[in-house]
Every structure is written in C-alpha cells, then in structure tokens.
Amino acid sequence: MTEENWNAPVTTLKGVGPKQGQLFGQLGVFTVKDLMHHFPFRFEDISERDINTILDNEKVTLKGKIVTPPVVNYFGGKKNRLNFRFAIDETTIIQVSFFNQPYLAKQLEIGQTIGVYGKWQESRQSLLGMRIIKASDGPDFNPVYPSTKGLSQAQITKAIKQAFEEYPRSIEEIVPQILNDHYRLMPLEEALHQMHFPTNKESHEQAERKIIYQEFFLYQWRLALSRQQNQEKSGQRIMYDVDELREVIEAIPFELTKGQKQAVNEICFDLLAKYPMQRLLQGDVGSGKTLVAFITMIAAVQAGFQTALLVPTEILAKQHVLSFNNFFESIGLRAEILIGAMGAKEKRDVLEGLDKGRIRIVIGTHALIQESVTFDKLGYIVIDEQHRFGVNQRQSLLEKGTGVNYVQMTATPIPRSLALSVYGEMAVSTIQERPKGRLPIITRWLEDPLDQQLEQHIHQTLSDGHQIYYVLPLIEESEHMTEIENVLAVQERLQFTYPNYQIGVLHGQMNKEEQENAMQAFKNNETHILVATTMVEVGVDVPNSTLMVIQSAERFGLAQLHQLRGRVGRNDLQSYCYLIAQPKTDQGKQRMEIMTSTNDGFVISQEDMKLRGIGDVLGLNQSGLPQFSYANMIEDQAVLIAAQEDVRGIIQQPTRIETEEFERLNAAAKETTIQI
C-alpha cells in the first residue's frame, strides 16, 4: 500500500459516507490505516456447543440452522416478539425469541445457518436472543469491536473488509527482516488481516505476537531518536567540585546506603555531560530519595547554578525546607520556600532573590511554575512525586532556564528493566534498600475496627509514648458509602476510648492554616493519634509514629496502601500497620493478602499494575506514559524489554539492516500516535 493509500480517509471506502466517517472519528479512526489497526477486543466463538454444558442465564453464542419461518407476535401496543425454531444439531432443536426487533424477520429464512448471541433459559430450553451473527463457511470466530452509538458491529466489520478488498495488499513491512526472521514473525499484511479475520486461534496468536512486538519496537525506536536529539542539545554543564561535595556528604550525621551512594554518583556524572540530564530516581517508601536530591542540588549550587525542588503539597515543601536546613545550614547552605500561602512581602522577597541570583536553592509547590517566577541561572531541577504533575507543568519549570538538567522522583517503584523501557528517554537510578536499622513493618488484616487485638495494640502504643496514624478514605458519609465512618465520628469514638490522650484530625475541608497546625501538633507529639484522610500519604515524616491503622482498606489500591504504610517505620523501633477491611471481591482479598505478605515496594507495585493496570498505578493521564493500541506493558513485559534490546543492538550496529529499512522505521516512528 502506498503512503497515500495507507493514509487515505476512511470515507474513501465504499459505503462509508460522511456520517459514518464522523462516527468512526469518535473512535479515533480517520484513515484506512487507523481502520486496519482498530482491532477487536474479543471474538465470539460460535462453534458448536453442548446444550448440557450451558448454565442457566449464561450469555452464549450458538450456531445452528433455522428450521421454521420467523413469526412476529404483537402485544401491548408496540411491543412484539419474534420467534423461530433453531436446530443446534441433528437431534437438538430450541426456540429463539427476540423482543422488539421485528425487522430481523426480513433477514432470516428457513435453512439459513446463523449464530445467535443471547441468554440461555434452562427451564424453557430456549435462547433469549440479543444479536444475530452471520455465520460463514470458515472458522467460527466473529470479531467484536469497540464501537459508538450509531455504528453497528456489522458496519464496522463491513468497512474493515472493504479496506482489505479495495486497496492493494502491498502494506510495507516496518520491523527489520532480520528481526522478523529471528522471532519468526508473520508479515505485517498477513498479521493485520489475521487480527480481524483469523484462520484459527493459532493464526490469531501469531498475529498478536507480530502486532505487540511491532508496537513496542516502534516505541523504543522513537525513544532512541528522542535520546539522540536530546544528546545533540546544548545543556548546562554542572562542573561541581568533587572534594567540596564529599565534605558536604561527610557532614551528614549518618552514612548513606549503597543505593543512595550509587544514585548520587549516577546523577552527578550526568550533571557533567554536555547535554541536559533527564533521569528518573525511583525508590521504595523511606529509601532516602530526598537526601539524594539534596546532595545533588548542592553539587549544582557549588558549581554556580540555581536549583529548584518541586513538590505536590505545601506541607511537604515546608518539611523538605526544614530537613534541608537542619542538615546543611550549619555549613552555609540554606533553602528557601515558595508556596501559595505566603505573605505578599515574603513572596516578593523570594521572587526577587531568585531573579537576582541571591537565592540558590528553592523548594516549592505549583507556585514555582507561575510566570512571575524567574531565575538568574537555573541549572538543575528535581520533581518529587512526578506523577502528580502534568507534562505541561513539568515543562513550564524546565523552560525557566536553558538546557536545564532534571530528575523526576517517584516512590512507586517498578523493576529497573521495565522502568528503562517505560521511561525509555530517561536514565533510571534505583534505590532498593532501606536505611540501616529500619525494621520491616508488620502488617495485619482485620475485619472489625473494634477488634480487641487492635484496641490493645493502640493502648500499648500510646502507653509506650509513641503515636498513631488512623487513616480513612472519606471524611463524610454519603448515600453510596454509609458504612464508612467519617473522620469526626472516628475521632469522637477514639477520644471516648482513650480519654487521657489527644486525638487530632486532618482532612481536606480544613483550611491550609488548620491543616498545618494539625500536622505540626502531631509532629510535636502534642497530638497522640491523628485521624486523617489520605493527605498524610506523601512525605509527612513523624519518626515517633509506630502504628498505622487504615480503615476501609479495600477502597485503596496496593500502591497507595504501601505509601500510607510507609508513614511509619521511620526509626529503629518495630512498627505495625493494621488493615481494616471487608473486601467483597476476590481482587480485594488478594490486595489484603499481598500487603500482609511483603514490604517490598517493587513487588507491590508490580502486583498493583497487574490488578489495576499501569496507567492507574503510575498516573498515566498525568505523566504522559505511552498508550499502546494493543500491547500491554505488564502482561507483555518480556516483549517490551526484548524490543528495547533489539533497538539498542541496531543502533550500535546499524549495518545489520538495510538503508530502506532505516527510512521506513524513521517514517513510521514519526507517524506513530504513541505518546512519549
């Protein structure tokens, strides 16, 4: 197929007029190419089925021959029922009924072999029809496509058949032949056809192999081009002094972990490069990513540059400023804060300090992105909890300097091999171990928030002088979630049960000053139990807290449960987490079992992606992660990693493929709609 035909509007197909073209457009189908890549999300198997194996009310597709004329009976005004007899095999004849679809009678005749999708009614030995499926002489696999109102399955199928029939089958191969041969992948033309109209199950599986590999290969090729373009850019070279930075690290009152040291070395090495650094720093909850950020920011400052740390909440910004200054102010290094809740004069002083270059280190929230913020010599930025910021927000901060180096941090870690593939244009630093002396958090699952075991543990924790987080998913009851106690009700119950202790609250309906006061009281040990919503999820550090209680835990994803659990266990004392949950589904029970069996954030994140999908876990909509039309980054992870290795191999040895293959690859990579 020529490029012109490949990209021809879908309305050039016979039978696809402007109205259908608009409906196809709602599905993201604008061209013949789009249509051929509009794959079925499932197939209806209308092969012969033993009636005795079908459960009552089971939705099933049966294939058979019409043996009586279709008859329409009218009753109750416009209501009607279409009936006919249907021979499943030589000895089994059932009745089929369609309600309020009289027009089907014109499509049916005695002796016709069709498929009927409907609900089996055991007591009547009949099928309540929902859809007619035309049966062919070939395999009994009927594609079912993503659709929209006004566009039937029959219309979509017809259009796709037209696409293959009307255009010459000269679809150009994209994957280099050396890789097609290596993996025994079928030609693209054949794969596309088999994705829609498979000869058999094996041929469809082989087509899937080709399409999945091609999607990943194209994505990795495009990432390689992006990396190459980035390395051609002129970046801010951070020529820091190694000895001076070593003195800073030695001033820290404890030794860095092996993972922290490695991350610092990797980031600092990239800071010296001629092109802008793009790196992901990932690590489990409490692994010490923030300290790595502080140290590398100091390297930039020592080289004469300004640096910024962007965080999602004001509470976290204040905590980071306090931590930084506690560590480093004694050696002449100070961080300033920029948040929305600042007085006009205070904010004006910070803005002026950044513009004139007087302030070298700033930590702030979205306030850093505002147009009024200008830097004298911005060389390096760090973005904490990167999935909480949109692509455009991150870009806005980068554009406040020229050739700015940046690191994104995340506490939702994934295996390094997958991270390198997902964030392919970025280098990846991973911290896996926790600081020395930290004990694994013991996690228990209970069904009753009034369980005696939990009450005894709360009492013992308070008696020992330690503090407790008590987390709820909502702060008020609603008609849909009446079983969830709100924050204030739980505070009242706990205050009654433990009258000698102070019970605080923290939730989104409090103003910022109230929230800050509540958190500060907990940090100062003036409040002994903090009943809160998930506002405590990110970054709040109270080492004296050794017990986390999460009520209605079944309403949280695994990654979020792990983040919440990570608020405790920040000292050398044994910490505990209680999950109060009554999951109604197998998946909900599975989440609780996973949480009680491991403290490994990498394992938990991987399991969460299997259950919820990578987009929900990593923040797909916010982060700009790739959205593949067919491939799945978790289920097909091995293929993703293989494709990355294959691309790397070709980049290193370009003579392995023909010049024409290079040109086709580059053209296809530029055309792909996969977002980077």
Side-chain angles (χ1 to χ4, degrees), residues 446-510:
L446 302 174
E447 294 189 352
D448 185 359
L450 302 180
D451 189 287
Q452 189 174 4
Q453 176 187 352
L454 175 58
E455 291 197 350
Q456 289 176 346
H457 202 140
I458 291 175
H459 180 76
Q460 187 62 53
T461 300
L462 295 172
S463 298
D464 291 341
H466 300 305
Q467 293 164 273
I468 300 166
Y469 288 104
Y470 202 115
V471 177
L472 298 163
L474 297 176
I475 66 166
E476 289 184 355
E477 298 177 353
S478 74
E479 58 181 346
H480 302 295
M481 298 180 177
T482 55
E483 77 276 10
I484 299 178
E485 295 182 89
N486 60 45
V487 168
L488 301 179
V490 172
Q491 179 201 30
E492 184 178 346
R493 173 171 63 80
L494 292 173
Q495 192 67 75
F496 178 80
T497 308
Y498 309 100
N500 297 325
Y501 299 94
Q502 292 298 315
I503 317 296
V505 297
L506 177 66
H507 57 73
Q509 291 189 2
M510 300 165 65

Side-chain angles (χ1 to χ4, degrees), residues 3 33 218 221 662-672:
E3 184 178 348
K33 176 183 177 182
L218 265 180
W221 188 264
F662 256 114
E663 293 174 352
R664 287 200 299 269
L665 263 175
N666 289 338
K670 291 176 183 176
E671 288 180 5
T672 182

Side-chain angles (χ1 to χ4, degrees), residues 383-394:
I383 301 172
D384 196 7
E385 292 297 322
Q386 55 88 19
H387 66 279
R388 291 176 177 255
F389 298 95
V391 176
N392 293 335
Q393 291 175 318
R394 299 198 298 263

Side-chain angles (χ1 to χ4, degrees), residues 143-267:
V144 181
Y145 295 95
S147 187
T148 188
K149 187 176 181 181
L151 197 59
S152 69
Q153 291 295 318
Q155 290 172 318
I156 296 174
T157 303
K158 181 181 177 182
I160 291 172
K161 286 182 177 179
Q162 289 288 112
F164 282 105
E165 290 172 2
E166 290 185 19
Y167 286 81
R169 294 190 178 181
S170 55
I171 300 169
E172 286 189 326
E173 192 62 51
I174 296 173
V175 175
Q177 194 56 44
I178 189 174
L179 296 173
N180 281 323
D181 293 341
H182 177 71
Y183 293 113
R184 298 181 181 178
L185 299 174
M186 64 172 55
L188 178 58
E189 175 190 338
E190 182 184 356
L192 287 173
H193 195 269
Q194 290 290 336
M195 287 294 290
H196 297 280
F197 313 112
T199 305
N200 49 48
K201 288 185 177 179
E202 182 181 353
S203 66
H204 185 259
E205 289 172 356
Q206 291 303 315
E208 285 183 312
R209 287 184 67 236
K210 174 58 175 271
I211 297 302
I212 291 170
Y213 179 83
Q214 179 171 293
E215 275 205 287
F216 284 149
F217 187 85
L218 265 180
Y219 172 65
Q220 293 296 336
W221 188 264
R222 189 173 168 190
L223 286 178
L225 294 179
S226 177
R227 269 195 305 271
Q228 190 175 37
Q229 291 169 359
N230 183 64
Q231 291 176 359
E232 292 171 356
K233 294 178 182 177
S234 177
Q236 296 282 11
R237 298 190 70 181
I238 310 292
M239 307 299 290
Y240 68 95
D241 188 295
V242 176
D243 293 330
E244 286 185 13
L245 188 62
R246 187 176 292 116
E247 290 178 7
V248 169
I249 294 173
E250 289 174 352
I252 298 171
F254 51 82
E255 185 179 359
L256 302 184
T257 65
K258 181 180 177 182
Q260 287 176 311
K261 291 176 181 177
Q262 181 175 336
V264 168
N265 288 336
E266 289 172 346
I267 294 170

Side-chain angles (χ1 to χ4, degrees), residues 640-654:
L640 173 61
I641 294 170
Q644 184 189 42
E645 293 173 350
D646 293 336
V647 167
R648 188 181 295 121
I650 289 175
I651 296 297
Q652 292 172 350
Q653 293 181 292

Side-chain angles (χ1 to χ4, degrees), residues 514-535:
E514 290 172 332
Q515 292 174 10
E516 183 180 341
N517 291 339
M519 199 62 245
Q520 196 61 47
F522 191 61
K523 290 179 71 172
N524 295 340
N525 202 6
E526 296 165 6
T527 297
H528 307 107
I529 302 178
L530 182 63
V531 183
T533 59
T534 53
M535 293 181 67

Side-chain angles (χ1 to χ4, degrees), residues 270-283:
D270 277 3
L271 289 174
L272 297 169
K274 295 180 180 180
Y275 53 85
M277 172 178 60
Q278 299 178 25
R279 183 170 284 274
L280 175 75
L281 174 58
Q282 64 166 4

